[in-house]
mmCIF file of all heavy atoms in Angstrom:
data_model
loop_
_atom_site.group_PDB
_atom_site.id
_atom_site.type_symbol
_atom_site.label_atom_id
_atom_site.label_comp_id
_atom_site.label_asym_id
_atom_site.label_seq_id
_atom_site.Cartn_x
_atom_site.Cartn_y
_atom_site.Cartn_z
ATOM 1 N N ASN A 1 19.284 11.831 47.304
ATOM 2 C CA ASN A 1 18.597 10.580 46.970
ATOM 3 C C ASN A 1 17.276 10.815 46.234
ATOM 4 O O ASN A 1 16.380 9.976 46.280
ATOM 5 C CB ASN A 1 18.349 9.756 48.243
ATOM 6 C CG ASN A 1 17.626 10.540 49.328
ATOM 7 O OD1 ASN A 1 17.565 11.771 49.283
ATOM 8 N ND2 ASN A 1 17.082 9.844 50.311
ATOM 9 N N HIS A 2 17.167 11.962 45.537
ATOM 10 C CA HIS A 2 15.911 12.284 44.841
ATOM 11 C C HIS A 2 16.163 12.699 43.404
ATOM 12 O O HIS A 2 17.009 13.560 43.122
ATOM 13 C CB HIS A 2 15.178 13.413 45.571
ATOM 14 C CG HIS A 2 13.848 13.759 44.961
ATOM 15 N ND1 HIS A 2 12.989 12.815 44.430
ATOM 16 C CD2 HIS A 2 13.229 14.960 44.793
ATOM 17 C CE1 HIS A 2 11.901 13.419 43.985
ATOM 18 N NE2 HIS A 2 12.026 14.715 44.175
ATOM 19 N N THR A 3 15.425 12.054 42.503
ATOM 20 C CA THR A 3 15.453 12.384 41.076
ATOM 21 C C THR A 3 14.014 12.548 40.598
ATOM 22 O O THR A 3 13.115 11.836 41.055
ATOM 23 C CB THR A 3 16.130 11.267 40.266
ATOM 24 O OG1 THR A 3 17.437 11.025 40.785
ATOM 25 C CG2 THR A 3 16.244 11.644 38.795
ATOM 26 N N PHE A 4 13.796 13.480 39.691
ATOM 27 C CA PHE A 4 12.464 13.698 39.124
ATOM 28 C C PHE A 4 12.528 13.575 37.613
ATOM 29 O O PHE A 4 13.516 13.980 36.985
ATOM 30 C CB PHE A 4 11.925 15.084 39.495
ATOM 31 C CG PHE A 4 10.634 15.431 38.791
ATOM 32 C CD1 PHE A 4 9.425 14.921 39.245
ATOM 33 C CD2 PHE A 4 10.632 16.234 37.653
ATOM 34 C CE1 PHE A 4 8.240 15.208 38.583
ATOM 35 C CE2 PHE A 4 9.448 16.532 36.994
ATOM 36 C CZ PHE A 4 8.241 16.016 37.462
ATOM 37 N N ILE A 5 11.462 13.019 37.021
ATOM 38 C CA ILE A 5 11.364 12.975 35.565
ATOM 39 C C ILE A 5 9.944 13.345 35.140
ATOM 40 O O ILE A 5 8.966 12.851 35.702
ATOM 41 C CB ILE A 5 11.764 11.587 35.009
ATOM 42 C CG1 ILE A 5 11.752 11.598 33.480
ATOM 43 C CG2 ILE A 5 10.863 10.486 35.561
ATOM 44 C CD1 ILE A 5 12.459 10.391 32.865
ATOM 45 N N GLN A 6 9.845 14.265 34.186
ATOM 46 C CA GLN A 6 8.547 14.601 33.616
ATOM 47 C C GLN A 6 8.222 13.576 32.546
ATOM 48 O O GLN A 6 8.971 13.400 31.578
ATOM 49 C CB GLN A 6 8.551 16.005 33.000
ATOM 50 C CG GLN A 6 7.190 16.418 32.450
ATOM 51 C CD GLN A 6 7.231 17.759 31.726
ATOM 52 O OE1 GLN A 6 8.299 18.243 31.362
ATOM 53 N NE2 GLN A 6 6.072 18.369 31.513
ATOM 54 N N LEU A 7 7.103 12.870 32.747
ATOM 55 C CA LEU A 7 6.754 11.776 31.842
ATOM 56 C C LEU A 7 5.245 11.544 31.900
ATOM 57 O O LEU A 7 4.646 11.612 32.972
ATOM 58 C CB LEU A 7 7.487 10.494 32.265
ATOM 59 C CG LEU A 7 7.758 9.441 31.190
ATOM 60 C CD1 LEU A 7 8.698 9.990 30.113
ATOM 61 C CD2 LEU A 7 8.397 8.212 31.846
ATOM 62 N N LYS A 8 4.648 11.252 30.770
ATOM 63 C CA LYS A 8 3.240 10.889 30.729
ATOM 64 C C LYS A 8 3.093 9.392 30.970
ATOM 65 O O LYS A 8 3.875 8.593 30.445
ATOM 66 C CB LYS A 8 2.627 11.254 29.380
ATOM 67 C CG LYS A 8 2.513 12.739 29.117
ATOM 68 C CD LYS A 8 1.844 12.993 27.764
ATOM 69 C CE LYS A 8 1.676 14.484 27.502
ATOM 70 N NZ LYS A 8 1.032 14.739 26.180
ATOM 71 N N LEU A 9 2.075 9.019 31.715
ATOM 72 C CA LEU A 9 1.824 7.603 31.965
ATOM 73 C C LEU A 9 1.509 6.863 30.665
ATOM 74 O O LEU A 9 1.752 5.657 30.561
ATOM 75 C CB LEU A 9 0.654 7.439 32.937
ATOM 76 C CG LEU A 9 0.858 7.963 34.357
ATOM 77 C CD1 LEU A 9 -0.450 7.910 35.127
ATOM 78 C CD2 LEU A 9 1.931 7.165 35.081
ATOM 79 N N GLU A 10 0.967 7.567 29.680
ATOM 80 C CA GLU A 10 0.633 6.937 28.418
ATOM 81 C C GLU A 10 1.861 6.648 27.555
ATOM 82 O O GLU A 10 1.763 5.925 26.552
ATOM 83 C CB GLU A 10 -0.322 7.829 27.616
ATOM 84 C CG GLU A 10 -1.595 8.224 28.357
ATOM 85 C CD GLU A 10 -1.475 9.561 29.061
ATOM 86 O OE1 GLU A 10 -0.632 9.666 29.980
ATOM 87 O OE2 GLU A 10 -2.207 10.502 28.688
ATOM 88 N N ASP A 11 3.006 7.194 27.934
ATOM 89 C CA ASP A 11 4.253 7.017 27.176
ATOM 90 C C ASP A 11 4.864 5.666 27.559
ATOM 91 O O ASP A 11 5.804 5.573 28.346
ATOM 92 C CB ASP A 11 5.208 8.170 27.493
ATOM 93 C CG ASP A 11 6.341 8.296 26.488
ATOM 94 O OD1 ASP A 11 6.630 7.301 25.803
ATOM 95 O OD2 ASP A 11 6.932 9.388 26.410
ATOM 96 N N ARG A 12 4.327 4.604 26.962
ATOM 97 C CA ARG A 12 4.623 3.241 27.399
ATOM 98 C C ARG A 12 6.108 2.883 27.296
ATOM 99 O O ARG A 12 6.700 2.346 28.233
ATOM 100 C CB ARG A 12 3.803 2.245 26.569
ATOM 101 C CG ARG A 12 4.031 0.791 26.937
ATOM 102 C CD ARG A 12 3.023 -0.098 26.256
ATOM 103 N NE ARG A 12 3.083 0.033 24.794
ATOM 104 C CZ ARG A 12 2.244 -0.584 23.967
ATOM 105 N NH1 ARG A 12 1.264 -1.339 24.455
ATOM 106 N NH2 ARG A 12 2.358 -0.431 22.665
ATOM 107 N N ASP A 13 6.724 3.173 26.166
ATOM 108 C CA ASP A 13 8.126 2.788 25.975
ATOM 109 C C ASP A 13 9.044 3.515 26.956
ATOM 110 O O ASP A 13 9.958 2.907 27.525
ATOM 111 C CB ASP A 13 8.565 3.072 24.536
ATOM 112 C CG ASP A 13 7.885 2.148 23.535
ATOM 113 O OD1 ASP A 13 7.403 1.078 23.954
ATOM 114 O OD2 ASP A 13 7.833 2.502 22.339
ATOM 115 N N ALA A 14 8.800 4.807 27.141
ATOM 116 C CA ALA A 14 9.637 5.570 28.074
ATOM 117 C C ALA A 14 9.457 5.074 29.499
ATOM 118 O O ALA A 14 10.420 5.018 30.272
ATOM 119 C CB ALA A 14 9.285 7.062 27.982
ATOM 120 N N LEU A 15 8.224 4.697 29.856
ATOM 121 C CA LEU A 15 7.971 4.176 31.203
ATOM 122 C C LEU A 15 8.688 2.847 31.414
ATOM 123 O O LEU A 15 9.316 2.623 32.462
ATOM 124 C CB LEU A 15 6.461 4.007 31.404
ATOM 125 C CG LEU A 15 5.971 3.787 32.836
ATOM 126 C CD1 LEU A 15 6.271 5.011 33.702
ATOM 127 C CD2 LEU A 15 4.467 3.507 32.847
ATOM 128 N N LEU A 16 8.628 1.959 30.430
ATOM 129 C CA LEU A 16 9.334 0.680 30.532
ATOM 130 C C LEU A 16 10.840 0.888 30.664
ATOM 131 O O LEU A 16 11.506 0.200 31.442
ATOM 132 C CB LEU A 16 9.024 -0.186 29.314
ATOM 133 C CG LEU A 16 7.671 -0.898 29.311
ATOM 134 C CD1 LEU A 16 7.393 -1.519 27.944
ATOM 135 C CD2 LEU A 16 7.628 -1.979 30.398
ATOM 136 N N ASN A 17 11.367 1.839 29.901
ATOM 137 C CA ASN A 17 12.807 2.126 29.997
ATOM 138 C C ASN A 17 13.183 2.631 31.380
ATOM 139 O O ASN A 17 14.247 2.292 31.912
ATOM 140 C CB ASN A 17 13.210 3.145 28.937
ATOM 141 C CG ASN A 17 13.221 2.558 27.541
ATOM 142 O OD1 ASN A 17 13.384 1.345 27.369
ATOM 143 N ND2 ASN A 17 13.047 3.400 26.525
ATOM 144 N N LEU A 18 12.300 3.446 31.979
ATOM 145 C CA LEU A 18 12.555 3.958 33.326
ATOM 146 C C LEU A 18 12.623 2.802 34.330
ATOM 147 O O LEU A 18 13.516 2.766 35.187
ATOM 148 C CB LEU A 18 11.449 4.936 33.721
ATOM 149 C CG LEU A 18 11.614 5.634 35.073
ATOM 150 C CD1 LEU A 18 12.728 6.672 35.007
ATOM 151 C CD2 LEU A 18 10.304 6.311 35.494
ATOM 152 N N PHE A 19 11.705 1.861 34.228
ATOM 153 C CA PHE A 19 11.704 0.704 35.123
ATOM 154 C C PHE A 19 12.944 -0.161 34.904
ATOM 155 O O PHE A 19 13.544 -0.651 35.869
ATOM 156 C CB PHE A 19 10.442 -0.136 34.902
ATOM 157 C CG PHE A 19 9.262 0.296 35.734
ATOM 158 C CD1 PHE A 19 8.570 1.471 35.450
ATOM 159 C CD2 PHE A 19 8.832 -0.474 36.804
ATOM 160 C CE1 PHE A 19 7.474 1.865 36.216
ATOM 161 C CE2 PHE A 19 7.743 -0.092 37.586
ATOM 162 C CZ PHE A 19 7.062 1.076 37.285
ATOM 163 N N ARG A 20 13.338 -0.372 33.656
ATOM 164 C CA ARG A 20 14.522 -1.184 33.376
ATOM 165 C C ARG A 20 15.781 -0.540 33.955
ATOM 166 O O ARG A 20 16.658 -1.220 34.479
ATOM 167 C CB ARG A 20 14.689 -1.356 31.861
ATOM 168 C CG ARG A 20 13.637 -2.234 31.204
ATOM 169 C CD ARG A 20 14.038 -2.561 29.780
ATOM 170 N NE ARG A 20 12.910 -3.111 29.031
ATOM 171 C CZ ARG A 20 12.220 -2.445 28.119
ATOM 172 N NH1 ARG A 20 12.542 -1.187 27.829
ATOM 173 N NH2 ARG A 20 11.218 -3.019 27.491
ATOM 174 N N GLU A 21 15.847 0.778 33.844
ATOM 175 C CA GLU A 21 17.039 1.495 34.311
ATOM 176 C C GLU A 21 17.167 1.469 35.830
ATOM 177 O O GLU A 21 18.267 1.268 36.367
ATOM 178 C CB GLU A 21 16.998 2.942 33.824
ATOM 179 C CG GLU A 21 18.157 3.795 34.319
ATOM 180 C CD GLU A 21 18.032 5.260 33.931
ATOM 181 O OE1 GLU A 21 17.116 5.596 33.127
ATOM 182 O OE2 GLU A 21 18.840 6.062 34.424
ATOM 183 N N HIS A 22 16.057 1.636 36.543
ATOM 184 C CA HIS A 22 16.138 1.859 37.987
ATOM 185 C C HIS A 22 15.896 0.617 38.843
ATOM 186 O O HIS A 22 16.328 0.575 39.998
ATOM 187 C CB HIS A 22 15.152 2.953 38.400
ATOM 188 C CG HIS A 22 15.599 4.325 38.013
ATOM 189 N ND1 HIS A 22 16.503 5.048 38.753
ATOM 190 C CD2 HIS A 22 15.254 5.099 36.950
ATOM 191 C CE1 HIS A 22 16.707 6.218 38.165
ATOM 192 N NE2 HIS A 22 15.957 6.279 37.077
ATOM 193 N N ARG A 23 15.196 -0.383 38.330
ATOM 194 C CA ARG A 23 14.927 -1.589 39.115
ATOM 195 C C ARG A 23 14.367 -1.229 40.494
ATOM 196 O O ARG A 23 14.983 -1.472 41.534
ATOM 197 C CB ARG A 23 16.195 -2.441 39.258
ATOM 198 C CG ARG A 23 16.759 -2.901 37.934
ATOM 199 C CD ARG A 23 15.813 -3.866 37.235
ATOM 200 N NE ARG A 23 16.293 -4.248 35.907
ATOM 201 C CZ ARG A 23 15.643 -5.071 35.086
ATOM 202 N NH1 ARG A 23 14.461 -5.561 35.470
ATOM 203 N NH2 ARG A 23 16.129 -5.357 33.901
ATOM 204 N N PHE A 24 13.191 -0.656 40.510
ATOM 205 C CA PHE A 24 12.574 -0.165 41.743
ATOM 206 C C PHE A 24 12.255 -1.315 42.706
ATOM 207 O O PHE A 24 11.866 -2.404 42.298
ATOM 208 C CB PHE A 24 11.284 0.593 41.430
ATOM 209 C CG PHE A 24 11.486 1.785 40.548
ATOM 210 C CD1 PHE A 24 11.016 1.795 39.246
ATOM 211 C CD2 PHE A 24 12.168 2.905 41.019
ATOM 212 C CE1 PHE A 24 11.201 2.894 38.426
ATOM 213 C CE2 PHE A 24 12.357 4.010 40.203
ATOM 214 C CZ PHE A 24 11.874 4.009 38.898
ATOM 215 N N ASP A 25 12.403 -1.024 43.988
ATOM 216 C CA ASP A 25 11.949 -1.967 45.011
ATOM 217 C C ASP A 25 10.434 -1.913 45.137
ATOM 218 O O ASP A 25 9.766 -2.945 45.245
ATOM 219 C CB ASP A 25 12.591 -1.638 46.367
ATOM 220 C CG ASP A 25 14.091 -1.821 46.352
ATOM 221 O OD1 ASP A 25 14.539 -2.911 45.982
ATOM 222 O OD2 ASP A 25 14.807 -0.869 46.700
ATOM 223 N N CYS A 26 9.900 -0.696 45.163
ATOM 224 C CA CYS A 26 8.456 -0.490 45.325
ATOM 225 C C CYS A 26 7.990 0.627 44.400
ATOM 226 O O CYS A 26 8.788 1.501 44.017
ATOM 227 C CB CYS A 26 8.102 -0.113 46.768
ATOM 228 S SG CYS A 26 8.430 -1.418 47.977
ATOM 229 N N VAL A 27 6.709 0.603 44.079
ATOM 230 C CA VAL A 27 6.082 1.664 43.306
ATOM 231 C C VAL A 27 4.873 2.143 44.076
ATOM 232 O O VAL A 27 4.051 1.331 44.529
ATOM 233 C CB VAL A 27 5.644 1.167 41.908
ATOM 234 C CG1 VAL A 27 4.885 2.257 41.165
ATOM 235 C CG2 VAL A 27 6.848 0.689 41.101
ATOM 236 N N CYS A 28 4.754 3.465 44.227
ATOM 237 C CA CYS A 28 3.536 4.049 44.778
ATOM 238 C C CYS A 28 2.940 4.934 43.690
ATOM 239 O O CYS A 28 3.467 6.013 43.384
ATOM 240 C CB CYS A 28 3.812 4.860 46.042
ATOM 241 S SG CYS A 28 2.282 5.366 46.857
ATOM 242 N N HIS A 29 1.856 4.443 43.111
ATOM 243 C CA HIS A 29 1.272 5.083 41.929
ATOM 244 C C HIS A 29 0.104 5.982 42.345
ATOM 245 O O HIS A 29 -0.994 5.512 42.619
ATOM 246 C CB HIS A 29 0.790 3.998 40.964
ATOM 247 C CG HIS A 29 0.093 4.535 39.759
ATOM 248 N ND1 HIS A 29 0.649 5.491 38.936
ATOM 249 C CD2 HIS A 29 -1.130 4.252 39.232
ATOM 250 C CE1 HIS A 29 -0.196 5.777 37.962
ATOM 251 N NE2 HIS A 29 -1.287 5.043 38.124
ATOM 252 N N LEU A 30 0.386 7.285 42.393
ATOM 253 C CA LEU A 30 -0.624 8.269 42.787
ATOM 254 C C LEU A 30 -1.053 9.170 41.635
ATOM 255 O O LEU A 30 -2.047 9.886 41.748
ATOM 256 C CB LEU A 30 -0.089 9.139 43.931
ATOM 257 C CG LEU A 30 0.345 8.403 45.205
ATOM 258 C CD1 LEU A 30 0.850 9.390 46.248
ATOM 259 C CD2 LEU A 30 -0.793 7.569 45.766
ATOM 260 N N ALA A 31 -0.316 9.148 40.529
ATOM 261 C CA ALA A 31 -0.656 9.993 39.388
ATOM 262 C C ALA A 31 -1.951 9.522 38.757
ATOM 263 O O ALA A 31 -2.163 8.330 38.552
ATOM 264 C CB ALA A 31 0.464 9.966 38.352
ATOM 265 N N ALA A 32 -2.838 10.458 38.460
ATOM 266 C CA ALA A 32 -4.121 10.134 37.834
ATOM 267 C C ALA A 32 -4.807 11.425 37.433
ATOM 268 O O ALA A 32 -4.468 12.499 37.941
ATOM 269 C CB ALA A 32 -5.014 9.349 38.793
ATOM 270 N N GLN A 33 -5.772 11.307 36.544
ATOM 271 C CA GLN A 33 -6.651 12.442 36.287
ATOM 272 C C GLN A 33 -7.691 12.463 37.400
ATOM 273 O O GLN A 33 -8.461 11.526 37.560
ATOM 274 C CB GLN A 33 -7.333 12.320 34.938
ATOM 275 C CG GLN A 33 -8.285 13.451 34.631
ATOM 276 C CD GLN A 33 -7.619 14.821 34.690
ATOM 277 O OE1 GLN A 33 -6.679 15.083 33.949
ATOM 278 N NE2 GLN A 33 -8.078 15.681 35.581
ATOM 279 N N ALA A 34 -7.661 13.516 38.197
ATOM 280 C CA ALA A 34 -8.528 13.605 39.366
ATOM 281 C C ALA A 34 -9.772 14.424 39.048
ATOM 282 O O ALA A 34 -9.892 15.051 37.995
ATOM 283 C CB ALA A 34 -7.766 14.249 40.524
ATOM 284 N N GLY A 35 -10.706 14.421 40.007
ATOM 285 C CA GLY A 35 -11.885 15.277 39.929
ATOM 286 C C GLY A 35 -13.118 14.572 39.409
ATOM 287 O O GLY A 35 -13.078 13.928 38.355
ATOM 288 N N VAL A 36 -14.208 14.679 40.161
ATOM 289 C CA VAL A 36 -15.472 14.072 39.753
ATOM 290 C C VAL A 36 -16.158 14.926 38.683
ATOM 291 O O VAL A 36 -16.552 14.435 37.625
ATOM 292 C CB VAL A 36 -16.401 13.882 40.972
ATOM 293 C CG1 VAL A 36 -17.811 13.517 40.525
ATOM 294 C CG2 VAL A 36 -15.847 12.803 41.895
ATOM 295 N N ARG A 37 -16.309 16.225 38.924
ATOM 296 C CA ARG A 37 -17.065 17.073 37.999
ATOM 297 C C ARG A 37 -16.370 17.230 36.655
ATOM 298 O O ARG A 37 -17.014 17.305 35.609
ATOM 299 C CB ARG A 37 -17.330 18.435 38.649
ATOM 300 C CG ARG A 37 -18.282 18.320 39.834
ATOM 301 C CD ARG A 37 -18.467 19.595 40.626
ATOM 302 N NE ARG A 37 -19.160 19.301 41.882
ATOM 303 C CZ ARG A 37 -18.841 19.806 43.040
ATOM 304 N NH1 ARG A 37 -17.845 20.674 43.144
ATOM 305 N NH2 ARG A 37 -19.519 19.484 44.124
ATOM 306 N N TYR A 38 -15.041 17.254 36.659
ATOM 307 C CA TYR A 38 -14.277 17.380 35.409
ATOM 308 C C TYR A 38 -14.533 16.182 34.498
ATOM 309 O O TYR A 38 -14.488 16.299 33.275
ATOM 310 C CB TYR A 38 -12.792 17.505 35.749
ATOM 311 C CG TYR A 38 -11.889 17.836 34.594
ATOM 312 C CD1 TYR A 38 -11.896 19.105 34.017
ATOM 313 C CD2 TYR A 38 -10.998 16.892 34.087
ATOM 314 C CE1 TYR A 38 -11.044 19.413 32.969
ATOM 315 C CE2 TYR A 38 -10.143 17.199 33.036
ATOM 316 C CZ TYR A 38 -10.163 18.458 32.480
ATOM 317 O OH TYR A 38 -9.317 18.769 31.439
ATOM 318 N N SER A 39 -14.833 15.023 35.109
ATOM 319 C CA SER A 39 -15.047 13.808 34.310
ATOM 320 C C SER A 39 -16.337 13.878 33.498
ATOM 321 O O SER A 39 -16.522 13.124 32.548
ATOM 322 C CB SER A 39 -15.049 12.560 35.199
ATOM 323 O OG SER A 39 -16.196 12.514 36.038
ATOM 324 N N LEU A 40 -17.247 14.790 33.865
ATOM 325 C CA LEU A 40 -18.493 14.942 33.129
ATOM 326 C C LEU A 40 -18.277 15.617 31.779
ATOM 327 O O LEU A 40 -19.027 15.392 30.829
ATOM 328 C CB LEU A 40 -19.506 15.755 33.940
ATOM 329 C CG LEU A 40 -19.874 15.205 35.330
ATOM 330 C CD1 LEU A 40 -20.847 16.146 36.022
ATOM 331 C CD2 LEU A 40 -20.455 13.805 35.225
ATOM 332 N N THR A 41 -17.248 16.438 31.691
ATOM 333 C CA THR A 41 -17.010 17.202 30.463
ATOM 334 C C THR A 41 -15.747 16.776 29.717
ATOM 335 O O THR A 41 -15.575 17.109 28.545
ATOM 336 C CB THR A 41 -16.895 18.707 30.783
ATOM 337 O OG1 THR A 41 -15.895 18.900 31.801
ATOM 338 C CG2 THR A 41 -18.230 19.247 31.295
ATOM 339 N N ASN A 42 -14.853 16.036 30.388
ATOM 340 C CA ASN A 42 -13.595 15.613 29.761
ATOM 341 C C ASN A 42 -13.342 14.126 30.007
ATOM 342 O O ASN A 42 -12.313 13.754 30.593
ATOM 343 C CB ASN A 42 -12.425 16.447 30.307
ATOM 344 C CG ASN A 42 -12.553 17.915 29.957
ATOM 345 O OD1 ASN A 42 -12.128 18.342 28.894
ATOM 346 N ND2 ASN A 42 -13.146 18.687 30.860
ATOM 347 N N PRO A 43 -14.264 13.260 29.565
ATOM 348 C CA PRO A 43 -14.153 11.838 29.904
ATOM 349 C C PRO A 43 -12.901 11.156 29.373
ATOM 350 O O PRO A 43 -12.339 10.264 30.035
ATOM 351 C CB PRO A 43 -15.421 11.228 29.301
ATOM 352 C CG PRO A 43 -15.841 12.178 28.226
ATOM 353 C CD PRO A 43 -15.465 13.530 28.734
ATOM 354 N N HIS A 44 -12.441 11.556 28.194
ATOM 355 C CA HIS A 44 -11.306 10.855 27.597
ATOM 356 C C HIS A 44 -10.016 11.030 28.401
ATOM 357 O O HIS A 44 -9.138 10.165 28.365
ATOM 358 C CB HIS A 44 -11.096 11.314 26.156
ATOM 359 C CG HIS A 44 -12.185 10.871 25.237
ATOM 360 N ND1 HIS A 44 -13.271 11.661 24.930
ATOM 361 C CD2 HIS A 44 -12.391 9.697 24.582
ATOM 362 C CE1 HIS A 44 -14.081 11.016 24.117
ATOM 363 N NE2 HIS A 44 -13.576 9.817 23.896
ATOM 364 N N ALA A 45 -9.915 12.138 29.138
ATOM 365 C CA ALA A 45 -8.727 12.347 29.973
ATOM 366 C C ALA A 45 -8.607 11.248 31.026
ATOM 367 O O ALA A 45 -7.485 10.852 31.404
ATOM 368 C CB ALA A 45 -8.800 13.712 30.644
#
């Protein structure tokens, strides 16, 4: 009951296609650029 897909959150069309295909009951969105100190030198990430 487990499938994985490598995908960037910025890839809007591919993300929409994933939602259309699977019709999720729930979404738990934990992916993010983490880290406080890294944000000082790499803000655009």
Side-chain angles (χ1 to χ4, degrees):
N1 53 343
H2 183 37
T3 304
F4 173 79
I5 184 166
Q6 183 185 17
L7 206 64
K8 292 182 178 180
L9 295 172
E10 305 94 297
D11 196 339
R12 180 170 59 184
D13 291 340
L15 194 64
L16 282 170
N17 288 335
L18 184 72
F19 272 72
R20 290 191 194 105
E21 177 185 351
H22 286 279
R23 300 294 176 181
F24 300 111
D25 295 306
C26 295
V27 175
C28 189
H29 176 53
L30 302 180
Q33 179 57 60
V36 169
R37 293 173 192 137
Y38 188 72
S39 69
L40 302 178
T41 54
N42 296 273
H44 291 95

